[in-house]
Amino acid sequence: VIGVRTTGLWGSIWSRKGRTVTPPFGKGLHMGNAFVVGDRVVVTAVENWGKGRFYLLESSDLEHWSEPRLILENPKWEGYNTTMCRAGDKFVLAFELGKPAEKVGPNPFTMFFAESKDLKNWSHLSDFGQGIGSHVSVWECPDLMEMEYQGKKKWALIVNINPGGPNGGSVAQYFIGDFDGKEFHADNLPYPLWVDEGVDNYAGVTF
């Protein structure tokens, strides 16, 4: 499994060669990412664009999918893209919110985090983004991962902005730091840090 593609608010799984390997599923949802858990593929999604309801779907054969299961809901939220990873013995969901203003501050699409140990019961943890990095445009398509950096285990958070790159166009910026199970703490580095300085690097996420 390489990725999940959303077309007309349907999802489909596609392979490295670009071949669709599953029928459309999840009508009305915008898919965030695909994550393998044992013998299952799990996909997280938000209802349409700007809704305050996030869902999870899963499949063991890439053909038959579960009904969307509501995992997070807040009528005041304006939700967008999602990404999921493992952090110790739990799963962490990173997701974008554009509202409410008292939560996201002056910079819409701030990153928020939620956790679950069983993929069924989820709770909101924290947020990240105010007063750090570039905010010339909204933050989109997050990616959160643990990795080795200069010989140490670190966490990387990638967010994409369009337009707003150092040479114009779209761009991905990243933050290096630690995730303590609740909050992402960025290291003291000269942000913004760019994945590259081209004019068309946008929304690349890991699966």
Side-chain angles (χ1 to χ4, degrees):
V1 174
I2 301 302
V4 57
R5 173 183 294 142
T6 298
T7 304
L9 294 178
W10 285 85
S12 62
I13 300 293
W14 53 281
S15 69
R16 185 180 302 276
K17 295 182 180 180
R19 181 176 63 87
T20 299
V21 296
T22 184
F25 63 94
K27 183 180 180 180
L29 301 178
H30 184 88
M31 312 297 173
N33 75 328
F35 191 84
V36 177
V37 182
D39 61 353
R40 297 172 294 158
V41 174
V42 175
V43 173
T44 55
V46 64
E47 182 178 348
N48 293 320
W49 275 111
K51 301 293 185 181
R53 292 180 290 271
F54 292 87
Y55 294 84
L56 184 146
L57 306 89
E58 57 184 88
S59 174
S60 59
D61 61 8
L62 297 182
E63 293 185 9
H64 304 90
W65 290 84
S66 65
E67 289 296 315
R69 181 170 70 246
L70 184 66
I71 58 173
L72 287 171
E73 179 180 27
N74 189 317
K76 294 182 179 181
W77 285 356
E78 183 181 276
Y80 295 91
N81 294 296
T82 63
T83 187
M84 191 173 72
C85 67
R86 292 296 296 262
D89 63 348
K90 62 187 177 183
F91 300 91
V92 173
L93 183 75
F95 58 100
E96 307 163 14
L97 290 184
K99 291 181 180 179
E102 61 269 23
K103 283 288 186 182
V104 304
N107 304 310
F109 291 52
T110 296
M111 293 300 113
F112 283 70
F113 304 104
E115 69 170 358
S116 174
K117 289 191 173 183
D118 58 9
L119 294 176
K120 297 178 181 179
N121 302 292
W122 290 81
S123 57
H124 170 230
L125 292 172
S126 59
D127 59 83
F128 173 82
Q130 297 303 321
I132 189 171
S134 173
H135 287 276
V136 296
S137 186
V138 296
W139 287 14
E140 295 188 289
C141 305
D143 203 3
L144 178 67
M145 70 194 82
E146 188 179 26
M147 59 186 294
E148 186 170 307
Y149 177 73
Q150 295 183 348
K152 299 179 180 179
K153 292 292 185 180
K154 303 294 290 186
W155 283 82
L157 175 65
I158 299 173
V159 296
N160 294 266
I161 56 177
N162 181 30
N167 293 304
S170 58
V171 71
Q173 65 174 319
Y174 67 95
F175 303 88
I176 299 295
D178 297 296
F179 187 76
D180 62 10
K182 182 178 180 180
E183 298 180 324
F184 180 84
H185 302 278
D187 290 350
N188 185 18
L189 296 171
Y191 301 110
L193 299 174
W194 308 111
V195 171
D196 69 21
E197 297 192 2
V199 295
D200 193 20
N201 185 344
Y202 192 69
V205 295
T206 55
F207 289 91

